[in-house]
Amino acid sequence: MIFHPLLLTIGLALSRQDTLQYDASIYGKITSADTTFLASIAPVSAPISYVIIDISGPGAVSRQLTADDSGSYSLTGLAGGVYTLRFIRAGYVTLSLDVSVPEHQAVHLDISLDPAPPTMKTIKVLASDAPPRVRDNPVTTGAYQPWRLDGNRMRSLSSLDFADLIRAIGTSPEALAGPESSSGLHLQGGATDHTLLLVDGIPLYNAVHAGDHPSPIDPDAVADITSYSEARARTGDRLGGVVEVNTRTALPDSEHVTTSIWPTGIRALTALQFTGGSALIGARRNYARPLESEEREPVTLRPSDVFATASVPFGGGYLTGLFVSSSDAISFDAAGDLPSGRGNRFGWTSDARGLTWQRRAAGGGFSVDARVWQSGTSVGADWIPASESEMRMANQFTQTAAAASASWSEVGAVTTIGGSFERLRGGYSVADTAQADGTSLLGIHSQLGIVSAFVEHSRELGRFTATLGERIAVAGQRTVLMEPRAAFGVSLFRCVSLSGAFARTHQYTQSLYNDESIVDAMASLEAPVIAGSAGVPIATSTSGSLQLAVPVGSTALITANTYLRTFDALILAGAAGGDPFAANAFTSGHGTAYGTTLSAREQLGRLNLEGTYLMSIVSREWAGERSYRPTFAPSHAALIAAGYQLGDNTLFRASGFWSALRSTSPLLGGVAFEWQDVLASQREVSGSPEYSPSTVGAGRLEPYVRVDVGIRHNFTFGSLRSSAYLNVDNLLARRNAAGLVEDPSGSGMRTLRMMPRSISFGVGLRF
């Protein structure tokens, strides 16, 4: 019965297309813009082969085509209207254009692409005002149909009360998350540590902040986001999907500095242009909320986040460096009166640094990509359970790695081969600090070397595109792991497209942070431990998905997706104990996740409408017969958002989120949980929230409902441009449930409530 509305909607979509005529087209040739001195005397334009073309618009699914080896392309089967085209080719600046196509006619459009990294000078970029710094190789897309979000689009999403990288990913159909959820990324039933986050090709761990603080990556630095629910052959080490973030090379319209200020933080980003290259440098300072005594933490400029990246010409290509550093902490009163006077505290850091070298042939053909990096995280906690013992947890993890790949093109196909080497080092320990000798409760210290190689081939045959890949990894000295990957895409009729993907992946680190704990609602972290010691297994995931995209009329698109994923050898920290992290032991098991999503978007003049519905069943099982549904995965969720553009400078927005059939693990003892807005004067939590392993996932929360409204407005004062936003969050004042607590009197369950109706605001300056 669940799929009947989906089939009916698709049927209605197909029937509505009968009123359109799909006989218009766009065709032309793509060449390279030669910017040398000789070109100014005798201009020469060389054709560029195998340029990827993204097309969206009336009657057009967001699909990809590829120009031939002579640079010629032809987009047929179009209805009349305005289309957005993105021309993507490694080594060139990505170009986005809006093209008006008359009904029943063909538009001749020749395109000239500028070599990277300089930004375009002669053509106005409409969909992205600055190109990504590191553009992925075209073969890594092939037949895959990932979820994509342009950086400018992220900064104007009607579904968000303010621009933020992690929250924007949480609006995607495969990672739908409520506005008051933790900062974790959960793609298709995976845990936080199952998703790989890459920034300019370098992985980040624990790139999150607590509560309503934005994530560490400045949204003004983001050029685009691409999310793959099934990993491609070149990407390994994670069970779930891969989220790739590309940063920009410049700020728009000759801006040099952007800064934003809101009640709990300040951030700034500057862009530097120099001969042959560019750099971005950003910093952010988050500061704490007022305390009960009305004492405020002094506002300082000591950053809690630092972000920097730069590109320079080197060895016939471009060398790009990245540096990211982030830190945060939360603390709250513990249960009972302890002589030490200490409370519960969690602190974490995230660090990444890397170099990427890319060399692209100007006219297509052979290209090379090489990366070296070191990424890691540290997590520490002082935890005082209700039993009034005292525990200290310390976790350190570092990944040092190098990877290289080469690709070459032939007629209608691209092949890529590559390999990588990784060295993982880490330690995890929990000690009882109430004992004089600091008795160790759990200790895991290990390292692991991983050597891998991959091959991937994409071929286009008329309306059909296929990508096949294989990744082989050797973990340690003996374990050989095979990871096949495959994807296909086919254009059916009237721009309806069908695509699918399959992947088998392994993961060599798993987290001992308990995502069933209510502490996860404040900060969704990873506490990585490495496979090969203390019973830590290598986890495995097998997944597959199908997607059908159907244009409706001239301005709407409906996308339906279904997926199935299985997990084996999972560490289940929440099944072995009710503390926020594994304190004495952990258990392992397996899991399943399957579901379907239905998303739609439509542009009606100045009004933009978007909606997504998700139905999923996610479970974790262990000991043969025990199972639970994770707190982070409600069975039903829906998001709807609307934005109305009033003039060029004002946007009115409204969004609503709903979820139902949410599981939770009921807490024990006295716990106070008061979720406040950014202007509140009280702490959020007191006590030591924990649950009994025998009741993991046994509670059910009432449906979640939240409605937000807001306004954004831009101002101009000479060369200084500013913006401001004002939101009323949780307009209905419905305090949704975050968890359940067993009343000490035995009178039943008490509900822990989240945010009341609140006001959020902020201002930004650009100059």
Side-chain angles (χ1 to χ4, degrees):
M1 296 299 293
I2 294 174
F3 292 92
H4 288 174
L6 174 61
L7 297 175
L8 177 60
T9 302
I10 295 173
L12 291 174
L14 293 174
S15 66
R16 286 183 57 184
Q17 297 179 84
D18 294 337
T19 60
L20 296 176
Q21 297 295 322
Y22 293 86
D23 54 1
S25 62
I26 307 173
Y27 70 98
K29 193 166 186 176
I30 306 170
T31 57
S32 172
D34 192 343
T35 57
T36 64
F37 173 75
L38 292 177
S40 63
I41 301 174
V44 176
S45 296
I48 306 175
S49 60
Y50 306 116
V51 175
I52 291 177
I53 307 167
D54 276 338
I55 177 172
S56 60
V61 179
S62 292
R63 57 191 173 103
Q64 291 188 338
L65 300 94
T66 306
D68 63 20
D69 56 353
S70 67
S72 298
Y73 72 96
S74 179
L75 309 174
T76 60
L78 305 179
V82 177
Y83 291 81
T84 298
L85 306 183
R86 296 181 75 235
F87 298 86
I88 305 169
R89 182 65 168 89
Y92 293 87
V93 175
T94 296
L95 173 63
S96 295
L97 292 173
D98 286 346
V99 181
S100 179
V101 179
E103 292 185 2
H104 318 300
Q105 294 187 29
V107 174
H108 184 186
L109 180 65
D110 290 336
I111 295 298
S112 180
L113 297 183
D114 289 336
T119 56
M120 293 176 296
K121 300 178 181 179
T122 59
I123 301 177
K124 176 66 175 178
V125 179
L126 301 177
S128 177
D129 52 24
R133 183 174 302 279
V134 179
R135 171 54 60 188
D136 216 350
N137 193 303
V139 71
T140 62
T141 300
Y144 288 90
Q145 296 295 319
W147 176 83
R148 283 193 172 93
L149 184 64
D150 181 82
N152 284 345
R153 176 65 178 149
M154 177 191 68
R155 291 182 284 274
S156 61
L157 280 177
S158 303
S159 53
L160 298 181
D161 49 1
F162 59 87
D164 179 66
L165 172 65
I166 301 297
R167 294 193 185 194
I169 299 169
T171 66
S172 69
E174 289 141 356
L176 204 57
E180 295 163 73
S181 68
S182 64
S183 300
L185 295 176
H186 301 282
L187 294 180
Q188 292 189 346
T192 298
D193 65 304
H194 298 164
T195 301
L196 178 62
L197 176 63
L198 299 174
V199 176
D200 288 345
I202 307 301
L204 296 186
Y205 297 84
N206 280 337
V208 298
H209 282 305
D212 54 17
H213 288 305
S215 54
I217 302 301
D218 194 321
D220 289 330
V222 175
D224 58 53
I225 306 167
T226 306
S227 176
Y228 295 87
S229 56
E230 275 79 32
R232 301 155 302 157
R234 70 178 299 155
T235 308
D237 301 356
R238 292 296 175 108
L239 298 182
V242 179
V243 177
E244 299 177 352
V245 179
N246 286 313
T247 62
R248 311 192 319 174
T249 58
L251 297 176
D253 300 325
S254 301
E255 294 175 358
H256 299 287
V257 176
T258 69
T259 183
S260 298
I261 305 170
W262 62 99
T264 58
I266 181 173
R267 69 169 181 252
L269 179 73
T270 183
L272 305 175
Q273 300 289 327
F274 48 87
T275 303
S278 62
L280 287 179
I281 302 173
R284 174 181 7 231
R285 172 63 176 163
N286 294 333
Y287 34 91
R289 302 175 176 195
L291 305 178
E292 289 183 350
S293 62
E294 297 186 356
E295 296 178 355
R296 294 174 180 266
E297 178 184 2
V299 177
T300 69
L301 295 179
R302 180 172 59 89
S304 55
D305 300 325
V306 176
F307 167 84
T309 184
S311 290
V312 295
F314 180 80
Y318 283 91
L319 185 67
T320 300
L322 173 77
F323 175 80
V324 179
S325 178
S326 174
S327 63
D328 204 351
I330 56 175
S331 62
F332 49 92
D333 294 335
D337 267 336
L338 293 178
S340 65
R342 296 212 318 266
N344 295 319
R345 185 182 187 278
F346 293 80
W348 62 96
T349 65
S350 176
D351 295 285
R353 55 191 63 85
L355 287 174
T356 299
W357 180 69
Q358 293 181 319
R359 182 175 181 177
R360 304 288 186 241
F366 188 75
S367 62
V368 180
D369 185 304
R371 290 184 173 94
V372 294
W373 71 87
Q374 185 176 78
S375 299
T377 182
S378 64
V379 181
D382 291 314
W383 180 249
I384 305 172
S387 61
E388 297 189 2
S389 63
E390 301 181 42
M391 295 187 295
R392 175 163 293 172
M393 184 269 282
N395 173 237
Q396 294 280 345
F397 171 77
T398 302
Q399 177 195 44
T400 304
S405 64
S407 66
W408 61 92
S409 304
E410 53 185 328
V411 177
V414 186
T415 303
T416 297
I417 61 172
S420 64
F421 172 77
E422 303 173 47
R423 172 64 67 180
L424 309 179
R425 294 183 175 89
Y428 180 94
S429 64
V430 180
D432 187 348
T433 57
Q435 302 294 324
D437 59 353
T439 303
S440 177
L441 302 177
L442 181 63
I444 302 174
H445 299 274
S446 59
Q447 61 181 2
L448 181 66
I450 305 164
V451 178
S452 63
F454 76 92
V455 58
E456 191 170 74
H457 180 76
S458 292
R459 181 169 293 274
E460 188 173 294
L461 300 171
R463 292 175 174 266
F464 186 83
T465 303
T467 298
L468 297 176
E470 177 70 51
R471 183 180 183 88
I472 303 174
V474 180
Q477 297 180 348
R478 301 179 181 177
T479 306
V480 179
L481 303 170
M482 308 294 288
E483 299 184 346
R485 318 290 173 88
F488 76 90
V490 58
S491 179
L492 299 176
F493 55 93
R494 296 178 179 174
C495 295
V496 175
S497 69
L498 176 67
S499 60
F502 165 84
R504 181 175 177 84
T505 59
H506 296 88
Q507 185 163 319
Y508 313 105
T509 64
Q510 296 196 62
S511 176
L512 292 186
Y513 192 78
N514 182 6
D515 55 15
E516 282 299 300
S517 171
I518 200 169
V519 177
D520 188 68
M522 292 180 280
S524 188
L525 302 176
E526 298 180 53
V529 291
I530 302 169
S533 65
V536 179
I538 297 177
T540 304
S541 171
T542 303
S543 63
S545 63
L546 289 173
Q547 177 178 287
L548 181 67
V550 182
V552 180
S554 60
T555 59
L557 176 68
I558 294 177
T559 303
N561 181 80
T562 185
Y563 70 91
L564 171 64
R565 187 185 298 271
T566 61
F567 304 92
D568 290 306
L570 287 182
I571 283 183
L572 303 177
D579 297 309
F581 48 85
N584 296 282
F586 58 87
T587 187
S588 62
H590 58 279
T592 58
Y594 61 91
T596 185
T597 62
L598 180 65
S599 60
R601 67 173 186 262
E602 183 160 11
Q603 184 75 42
L604 300 173
R606 293 179 177 269
L607 178 65
N608 175 264
L609 299 172
E610 296 187 52
T612 299
Y613 166 73
L614 166 67
M615 185 283 294
S616 65
I617 301 296
V618 181
S619 64
R620 302 288 189 258
E621 299 87 20
W622 79 103
E625 57 184 22
R626 301 191 63 186
S627 66
Y628 68 97
R629 293 188 179 181
T631 298
F632 63 76
S635 295
H636 301 274
L639 170 68
I640 186 169
Y644 183 79
Q645 190 73 40
L646 182 62
D648 295 331
N649 297 314
T650 304
L651 174 71
F652 293 96
R653 58 165 292 271
S655 64
F657 186 87
W658 166 86
S659 65
L661 297 182
R662 299 185 295 149
S663 298
T664 189
S665 299
L667 304 176
L668 304 172
V671 177
F673 190 92
E674 185 66 19
W675 193 290
Q676 300 288 342
D677 63 14
V678 296
L679 305 178
S681 59
Q682 293 183 353
R683 299 174 185 234
E684 292 181 353
V685 179
S686 64
S688 298
E690 54 190 14
Y691 60 85
S692 169
S694 63
T695 59
V696 59
R700 294 294 180 268
L701 298 176
E702 61 194 43
Y704 177 107
V705 178
R706 171 168 158 172
V707 176
D708 300 342
V709 296
I711 184 173
R712 300 171 187 155
H713 187 73
N714 298 322
F715 306 87
T716 302
F717 305 97
S719 61
L720 176 65
R721 279 168 287 185
S722 64
S723 61
Y725 67 85
L726 174 66
N727 299 298
V728 179
D729 299 321
N730 195 12
L731 179 67
L732 303 180
R734 188 179 191 278
R735 303 199 65 172
N736 293 294
L740 300 174
V741 178
E742 293 185 6
D743 196 291
S745 65
S747 58
M749 295 286 185
R750 175 167 52 90
T751 301
L752 302 180
R753 298 292 180 183
M754 288 192 279
M755 192 180 72
R757 181 188 294 119
S758 306
I759 294 177
S760 60
F761 56 87
V763 296
L765 300 175
R766 300 172 180 269
F767 52 90

